Amino acid sequence: MKQRTIGKSTLKSGQIGMGCNRLTDPGNAEQVAVANAAIDLGVLHFDGADSYGNGKTEVFFGKVLKPRRKEMTL
């Protein structure tokens, strides 16, 4: 996936992000597979607004991304 530089920094992100309104259960294998497939395809921007499950999306990604942390910029 094409990437763009974020502002004047050296950080880069893919041109496409992913809304994560329904990704709230790190014990749900399908949800984890969706997140990992997105990362495999080059998605690096995940919209986990606090209003999505009152913070559950952030907890979900904390657990899902832990083994892939070196691949991500948070």
Side-chain angles (χ1 to χ4, degrees):
M1 178 181 304
K2 290 184 180 181
Q3 295 190 350
R4 295 188 181 205
T5 302
I6 299 172
K8 295 181 180 183
S9 73
T10 59
L11 298 174
K12 294 188 181 243
S13 183
Q15 291 181 322
I16 298 173
M18 180 175 165
C20 302
N21 186 17
R22 302 283 184 221
L23 300 179
T24 58
D25 182 4
N28 183 307
E30 285 183 350
Q31 291 181 19
V32 172
V34 166
N36 280 305
I39 296 166
D40 292 341
L41 291 170
V43 174
L44 299 175
H45 175 85
F46 296 91
D47 178 4
D50 190 43
S51 62
Y52 297 166
N54 293 320
K56 289 181 182 176
T57 298
E58 288 86 350
V59 172
F60 172 85
F61 275 99
K63 291 180 180 179
V64 170
L65 297 179
K66 187 173 184 178
R68 301 187 77 167
R69 178 63 182 103
K70 291 183 180 182
E71 299 173 58
M72 309 303 296
T73 299
L74 299 175

